[in-house]
Amino acid sequence: MKFAVIQFPGTNCEIDTAYILKDLLEQEADIIWHMQDDLSSYDLVILPGGSSYGDYLRTGALAKFSPIIEAIKKHAEQGKLVLGICNGFQILTEIGLLPGAFMKNQNLKFIGDDLFFKVINNSTPFTSSYSKEQILKLPVAHLEGNYYIDSDQLKELQAQNRIVLRYCNSQGLCSEQANPNGSVDNIAAVLNERGNVLGMMPHPERMAEEILGGQDGLGFFQSILEYHKERKEQ
Amino acid sequence: MSKTAWQEMGLTDSEYARILELMGRQPTLPELGMFAAMWSEHCSYKTSKPVLSLFPTEGPRVLQGPGENAGVIDIGDNIAVAFKVESHNHPTAIEPFQGAATGVGGIIRDVFTMGARPIAALNSLRFGDLKLDRTRYLLNGAVEGIAFYGNTIGVPTVAGETWFNPSYNGNPLVNAMCVGIIEDGKIFKGVAKGKGNTLMAVGAKTGRDGIHGATFASEEISEDTESKRPAVQVGDPFTEKLLLEACLELMQSDAVVGIQDMGAAGLTSSSCEMASRGESGIDFDVTLVPQREEGMTPYEILLSESQERMLVAVHKGREDEVFKIFEKWELDAAIIGTITDDNLVTVRENGEIVAQIPSRFLTDEAPVYYNEAKRPEYLDQAEKFDPMTLPEPADYTQALIKLLQSDNICSKEWVYRHFDTTVGTSSVIRPGSDAAVLRLKNSRKGLAMCLDCNSRYVYLNPFEGGKIAVAESARNVVCSGAEPVAITNCLNFGNPDKPEVFYTFKQAVTGMAEACRALDTPVTGGNVSLYNESPDGAVYPTPTVGMMGVLEDIDQATTSAFKNTGDLIYLIGQSQDELGASEYLANAFELNTGRVPKLDLAKEKQVQKTVLRAIREKLIKAAHDCSEGGLAVALSEMAVQADLGFKVELNDPWRSDVSLFGESQSRIIVSLGKEQEEELLNLLKETGVEYSKLGEVTPQEVTIFHQGKEIVKTSSQELSQAWKEALPWIMKNN
């Protein structure tokens, strides 16, 4: 499977993400500079974490104007998979591939910690290797992780089962206390309507090896590979 | 009497006379500014140099010792590690956010200038009394500044220390360290040579910020320091990220002759030092330097400390490669001059010479001072103090809980939760253990690192304190499974013109040097920060030690947390009748006095070697250095991090407060499975190290017996609450 990992000025998780894909999962992965405008040879596009354009103006707001954005939109329109992690998620909301917007964390402080997440929807191309309601421990590292969406759109997300992960405590309770940043409905990952674009705040690439504290993040990549394999066989 | 121009710039009358003598004429204003910056303590080390020569700087692993942008060591497998620590104290004292942020930016630049990709950042933070609003304001600002810079640029902050004492009320210390790796064997240096080669300024544009920052760093903080706010630089981690990538990309080619960060004293120091190291001359025009403000004078351009800028010497004819790469990263690059062979630093404005100085006048000819040293009287009083004149605590459980809540011992999670500790996917042991451990993606090896100093010891006994600073940081990396290999240090002291301050400086360095020799950890560089004084007096002498350790196999990474119920607990090393200079005395009696624990370097080495062997032979599961707060605190930390308890029996003959809270050196607590006991005992007997069996790990309950009597009874949960909640509570409720 061939992955494109997009690099904007200020992106800083592209090497980590490509490492998982290439060294751990033995897939083809290229780091693609944002000035390129063709992604047609790739099966999946990942927008990794970081601080594109220094997070100036709003996270993701400036990346929106990069030439690569049109290619990402085209890729999504073709029904191919797009995964946005952290800053990648923020960019996906800015370019309209995902609903909602991000604000600063409620306490206005950066959070760098391992948190718990509940798998709400495991019937997506990104989460099929997890069980429903499985509790995952994954690192977060963000200052603007406070996900906002209005109540009509929230109802739509809920009705269409498009909330993929929610913040929870170690027991799986999605309580206000377990919400680290003020996100509406403890939302931590969201799917688009067509089901081929996922945005997530935690960093799965940072929890994919035992030596780094666990492998709870590996399932996202394994699900994608499984999905691709099945589609190929069809 | 009003100050003369040179006095305003921080030069003494005799230094000015020396300039007249060297130049044989009156210097121009830009020339005077260049002398003032280059002859400042910050750039010239004029008072510290004679003392620094005591440090051992060579060893089989050292590829680059002091004098470059960062030290470099060889760790095998074709991997070199560049690392350095630097202070940003004075900027933080008046503008904590930018002061601390640019401290991080500066040290990251120092490391990638060597051709290394930064993989980890560490920091040592020292602030005043936490009960003061000002202290909390400064701490908050500094922590957010570090987070802002480090998180944005994507270098994980993996370890550090946060320490409070009223001596830092007016002059906090922020020391930032960075570690980077070089995998292709190409080390770059700050050198300009080869007549006709091109000098280029790359990165951010030059503005008026930070003018005379180096001079500002070389004087005491006073009431008019607030007016020096413009001398604080402003950081832009986004630009630095671009600069980092652009420089590393440029270094893939062989177009670069030499490269240097425009840090303290900006264009002046980078150009002079590059020319001086290359034994060449340099000729450039300030009007060609990309500027972000209009109407800047040559003086301002020469002394601006605008961040995120580099000076690069490029082989003639290869300039287009530089332009192309910097254009891709949307950064400025400009040809500003050429390398000459006349050994002069020639500065022009629109072609006309405005300054011309032989480069060695600014570097080699800088004055060197042999200051007077006088032993401060308080040292004798500290030696004489007898803690046994103090009452014992009525309730040892409560005394332990109170100590776990104290500012210097409580969990620092509040601080490091602000930091991205996991970017780079290499952080095997993150903040909170004895040292951080990073894996290397192309090797079985790992790196352990910590940044440490107990400045109370150095204050009360500079020589022993200096020794302990090195030994303890080595012990920390040993507890993490690594062999200590080299150090960088940041020497934060008061005004060296005061004989008592200079005495502590000299003694501390002498002690550190002795420990470095004994432990085979040469000094590869660092930074001296003097004049850390406010109207209230000098800070505690604080020689922060950044220790690098190498793990032969990353699987040997060991944390300080207990692992399983029923595991045995051993103490390697031995407790002495030593309660002086302890955190307990400071916490229970507000006493910063007493005799500092003795450190026997031969014993220290034996303890470290034994524990490292035990880890390598997989005989122990956890190891923790016994430091501030003594045995009782060390055991508690091992327990609360694992959510487990312990039951121990101490049988030393001392009073219980000495036994529990005394800070005798060269002690490491380890835990192991019962099945490992016999083999561990064989090893302990073989090495001849002193040891004792303390007890075992329990599910929750915490019990300490001393001389057969139960003196502490509580639970891990209660200790955990005290230890974890103290700092968030203070920061939130005041």
Side-chain angles (χ1 to χ4, degrees):
Chain A
M1 198 175 169
K2 207 170 164 192
F3 291 83
V5 180
I6 311 297
Q7 182 188 30
F8 297 94
T11 296
N12 60 35
C13 300
E14 73 281 14
I15 298 174
D16 302 350
T17 309
Y19 175 79
I20 295 294
L21 299 169
K22 287 203 281 200
D23 293 65
L24 211 66
L25 298 168
E26 296 175 337
Q27 301 298 311
E28 264 186 85
D30 295 322
I31 293 175
I32 306 290
W33 184 235
H34 74 124
M35 295 300 280
Q36 293 190 32
D37 55 8
D38 181 12
L39 290 167
S40 56
S41 64
Y42 294 94
D43 301 305
L44 183 135
V45 171
I46 297 184
L47 287 78
S51 297
S52 58
Y53 289 96
D55 294 333
Y56 290 135
L57 191 57
R58 258 191 339 271
T59 49
L62 296 174
K64 186 179 173 177
F65 301 104
S66 287
I68 195 81
I69 296 295
E70 282 313 310
I72 295 170
K73 285 183 175 169
K74 199 168 145 194
H75 185 89
E77 274 162 26
Q78 292 167 345
K80 294 201 267 187
L81 301 185
V82 178
L83 172 63
I85 300 165
C86 199
N87 187 228
F89 187 5
Q90 294 160 341
I91 294 170
L92 290 175
T93 64
E94 285 288 335
I95 64 174
L97 284 182
L98 290 172
F102 284 91
M103 300 185 293
K104 274 202 173 162
N105 298 340
Q106 216 160 35
N107 68 357
L108 304 179
K109 290 187 183 299
F110 189 96
I111 304 170
D113 207 350
D114 289 356
L115 301 177
F116 293 100
F117 299 84
K118 194 179 209 170
V119 179
I120 306 299
N121 181 353
N122 71 334
S123 56
T124 80
F126 307 92
T127 53
S128 61
S129 68
Y130 298 110
S131 54
K132 197 166 155 58
E133 311 228 316
Q134 187 175 338
I135 301 166
L136 310 177
K137 190 180 183 186
L138 300 168
V140 297
H142 61 246
L143 178 59
E144 288 95 355
N146 184 353
Y147 182 73
Y148 177 78
I149 191 162
D150 67 36
S151 56
D152 288 347
Q153 280 185 297
L154 175 64
K155 275 180 205 145
E156 201 178 296
L157 283 187
Q158 288 164 337
Q160 296 173 347
N161 198 16
R162 285 164 53 197
I163 299 170
V164 176
L165 295 176
R166 293 174 75 202
Y167 297 99
C168 66
N169 65 14
S170 60
Q171 309 303 309
L173 191 68
C174 299
S175 61
E176 203 183 316
Q177 253 190 333
N179 187 337
N181 48 31
S183 291
V184 168
D185 201 30
N186 284 36
I187 292 173
V190 164
L191 199 64
N192 68 340
E193 203 172 340
R194 190 168 173 181
N196 64 324
V197 178
L198 180 78
M200 60 189 293
M201 278 322 279
H203 285 271
E205 80 281 9
R206 299 186 189 181
M207 198 57 94
E209 300 166 85
E210 274 310 328
I211 194 165
L212 300 180
Q215 293 193 296
D216 279 5
L218 196 56
F220 292 94
F221 302 104
Q222 286 168 333
S223 303
I224 291 164
L225 294 179
E226 192 60 29
Y227 173 83
H228 186 72
K229 201 171 132 201
E230 277 170 21
R231 295 248 305 190
K232 244 180 156 174
E233 282 165 5
Q234 273 169 17
Chain B
M1 207 180 81
S2 68
K3 281 186 173 178
T4 60
W6 60 89
Q7 285 168 342
E8 285 284 350
M9 294 180 193
L11 289 165
T12 66
D13 291 348
S14 64
E15 284 169 346
Y16 183 67
R18 175 86 182 126
I19 292 169
L20 290 180
E21 190 190 329
L22 283 169
M23 296 289 286
R25 62 171 167 84
Q26 285 229 329
T28 64
L29 185 68
E31 285 171 345
L32 191 58
M34 290 166 78
F35 273 108
M38 292 305 291
W39 286 13
S40 71
E41 178 62 35
H42 195 85
C43 291
S44 73
Y45 297 96
K46 58 190 169 191
T47 42
S48 51
K49 216 186 254 175
V51 180
L52 296 180
S53 63
L54 294 168
F55 282 134
T57 56
E58 283 169 12
R61 288 184 188 271
V62 178
L63 298 175
Q64 176 63 57
E68 263 294 339
N69 288 295
V72 183
I73 54 168
D74 179 3
I75 65 158
D77 288 0
N78 238 343
I79 301 171
V81 177
F83 66 111
K84 194 185 179 191
V85 62
E86 201 161 71
S87 66
H88 236 217
N89 304 336
H90 284 181
T92 305
I94 51 171
E95 172 45 55
F97 183 93
Q98 287 297 346
T102 50
V104 175
I107 199 67
I108 291 176
R109 264 192 320 282
D110 278 338
V111 164
F112 72 73
T113 308
M114 302 300 294
R117 178 169 283 279
I119 59 162
L122 302 87
N123 55 70
S124 165
L125 311 176
R126 276 160 218 276
F127 290 86
D129 183 353
L130 249 189
K131 289 194 281 293
L132 302 175
D133 291 344
R134 174 85 185 160
T135 301
R136 292 191 304 277
Y137 158 75
L138 289 172
L139 175 65
N140 218 354
V143 167
E144 292 207 347
I146 291 168
F148 163 68
Y149 212 104
N151 298 348
T152 306
I153 198 168
V155 175
T157 302
V158 296
E161 56 166 353
T162 313
W163 212 80
F164 303 94
N165 180 279
S167 76
Y168 304 106
N169 277 351
N171 193 134
L173 303 183
V174 169
N175 293 176
M177 173 170 161
C178 181
V179 179
I181 54 170
I182 302 168
E183 287 183 297
D184 54 8
K186 269 162 74 179
I187 299 174
F188 286 81
K189 297 188 180 180
V191 55
K193 57 185 176 190
K195 187 182 176 188
N197 281 334
T198 304
L199 190 67
M200 297 181 79
V202 301
K205 289 180 169 43
T206 297
R208 288 194 172 92
D209 52 328
I211 289 172
H212 268 310
T215 316
F216 166 47
S218 304
E219 58 191 39
E220 290 179 26
I221 288 182
S222 64
E223 273 145 25
D224 64 348
T225 294
E226 189 63 24
S227 67
K228 301 265 166 74
R229 197 178 276 269
V232 178
Q233 312 83 338
V234 177
D236 177 4
F238 173 57
T239 301
E240 176 133 322
K241 170 70 175 167
L242 303 181
L243 185 61
L244 156 68
E245 298 300 340
C247 286
L248 292 182
E249 200 172 316
L250 176 62
M251 287 163 171
Q252 298 289 316
S253 78
D254 56 0
V256 177
V257 177
I259 179 167
Q260 174 135 346
D261 167 34
M262 290 195 226
L267 186 53
T268 298
S269 71
S270 49
S271 57
C272 299
E273 286 173 12
M274 285 179 81
S276 178
R277 286 193 201 110
E279 293 178 358
S280 62
I282 216 162
D283 184 336
F284 62 96
D285 193 322
V286 290
T287 38
L288 300 175
V289 174
Q291 293 155 47
R292 82 167 104 89
E293 292 177 66
E294 280 180 21
M296 287 183 73
T297 64
Y299 177 85
E300 289 170 327
I301 297 166
L302 281 167
L303 292 165
S304 158
E305 291 189 10
S306 288
Q307 300 288 290
E308 294 94 22
R309 301 177 302 155
M310 293 276 186
L311 195 62
V312 194
V314 183
H315 286 291
K316 190 171 173 53
R318 307 287 296 271
E319 300 84 356
D320 280 349
E321 294 172 45
V322 182
F323 285 125
K324 209 176 145 204
I325 290 169
F326 280 76
E327 198 174 315
K328 171 188 166 186
W329 291 99
E330 298 177 33
L331 292 168
D332 280 301
I335 294 171
I336 64 165
T338 53
I339 316 301
T340 65
D341 59 0
D342 59 9
N343 295 314
L344 295 172
V345 176
T346 304
V347 184
R348 298 168 192 270
E349 184 186 28
N350 287 316
E352 202 170 307
I353 294 176
V354 292
Q356 189 165 50
I357 311 173
S359 61
R360 64 179 179 85
F361 286 6
L362 295 162
T363 53
D364 303 345
E365 293 290 335
V368 177
Y369 295 122
Y370 297 86
N371 282 12
E372 188 195 338
K374 183 175 167 249
R375 184 179 156 90
E377 281 172 15
Y378 73 83
L379 293 178
D380 297 328
Q381 289 154 14
E383 281 290 321
K384 280 185 209 135
F385 178 79
D386 179 10
M388 291 304 99
T389 57
L390 298 167
E392 270 192 84
D395 180 338
Y396 273 98
T397 305
Q398 284 313 309
L400 173 58
I401 286 174
K402 192 166 168 255
L403 202 47
L404 287 170
Q405 286 171 327
S406 69
D407 301 343
N408 288 343
I409 288 178
C410 71
S411 164
K412 300 302 182 298
E413 191 185 338
W414 180 89
V415 174
Y416 60 75
R417 204 169 187 256
H418 287 79
F419 305 144
D420 188 341
T421 61
T422 50
V423 63
T425 57
S426 293
S427 310
V428 174
I429 300 181
R430 305 188 209 165
S433 203
D434 286 30
V437 172
L438 274 89
R439 64 133 168 218
L440 299 165
K441 284 174 181 165
N442 296 321
S443 163
R444 279 305 302 162
K445 292 188 182 188
L447 288 177
M449 55 198 76
C450 67
L451 191 56
D452 220 0
C453 174
N454 184 323
S455 57
R456 186 187 293 117
Y457 295 165
V458 188
Y459 170 70
L460 294 172
N461 186 333
F463 178 75
E464 286 295 316
K467 267 163 67 185
I468 292 173
V470 174
E472 190 185 331
S473 53
R475 216 180 297 141
N476 284 334
V477 305
V478 163
C479 287
S480 305
E483 180 192 357
V485 295
I487 74 163
T488 175
N489 60 53
C490 195
L491 307 172
N492 309 270
F493 287 76
N495 182 345
D497 303 333
K498 297 179 183 169
E500 284 88 354
V501 170
F502 196 69
Y503 175 89
T504 59
F505 177 67
K506 225 171 140 177
Q507 286 288 307
V509 170
T510 310
M512 291 169 81
E514 191 173 305
C516 285
R517 283 206 175 80
L519 301 172
D520 295 321
T521 52
V523 178
T524 62
N527 164 235
V528 177
S529 172
L530 302 176
Y531 303 93
N532 288 292
E533 299 212 10
S534 67
D536 299 333
V539 299
Y540 274 3
T542 312
T544 314
V545 175
M547 180 68 70
M548 289 301 309
V550 176
L551 290 97
E552 285 308 312
D553 185 336
I554 191 66
D555 286 340
Q556 287 158 357
T558 304
T559 68
S560 57
F562 284 140
K563 300 296 181 299
N564 307 98
T565 302
D567 283 353
L568 304 175
I569 306 169
Y570 271 75
L571 174 68
I572 316 293
Q574 199 174 43
S575 305
Q576 307 291 339
D577 184 8
E578 293 173 318
L579 191 58
S582 65
E583 197 59 46
Y584 168 72
L585 291 186
N587 179 250
F589 301 99
E590 292 189 17
L591 283 172
N592 286 296
T593 188
R595 196 174 303 131
V596 170
K598 282 267 164 312
L599 178 73
D600 178 334
L601 284 164
K603 271 189 186 172
E604 178 72 43
K605 204 166 175 172
Q606 189 187 35
V607 166
Q608 291 189 15
K609 284 212 177 313
T610 304
V611 171
L612 192 55
R613 256 187 78 185
I615 291 175
R616 286 179 173 168
E617 292 171 21
K618 299 191 186 337
L619 305 180
I620 57 176
K621 296 183 183 174
H624 188 27
D625 164 38
C626 217
S627 59
E628 282 114 322
L631 264 180
V633 164
L635 286 162
S636 302
E637 288 168 344
M638 296 176 86
V640 298
Q641 289 184 56
D643 201 16
L644 292 168
F646 59 89
K647 182 183 175 186
V648 300
E649 292 181 32
L650 310 175
N651 290 311
D652 57 73
W654 327 122
R655 208 168 85 172
S656 296
D657 47 358
V658 178
S659 175
L660 260 58
F661 308 129
E663 298 178 6
S664 292
Q665 293 300 298
S666 315
R667 293 183 302 166
I668 293 174
I669 302 175
V670 301
S671 72
L672 55 144
K674 284 195 171 107
E675 68 286 358
Q676 297 166 306
E677 187 177 22
E678 197 186 322
E679 262 192 276
L680 179 72
L681 285 171
N682 287 339
L683 172 68
L684 298 179
K685 278 167 196 151
E686 187 195 319
T687 62
V689 74
E690 290 167 319
Y691 68 90
S692 51
K693 187 174 183 172
L694 298 182
E696 63 178 54
V697 179
T698 66
Q700 262 296 312
E701 60 284 11
V702 168
T703 330
I704 303 178
F705 289 88
H706 184 228
Q707 297 164 2
K709 192 176 152 203
E710 182 183 284
I711 56 169
V712 170
K713 191 166 180 62
T714 176
S715 68
S716 176
Q717 204 182 358
E718 200 170 343
L719 296 181
S720 174
Q721 205 176 346
W723 183 69
K724 284 184 182 162
E725 290 178 9
L727 192 55
W729 191 89
I730 292 169
M731 295 307 290
K732 199 174 157 187
N733 292 302
N734 282 289

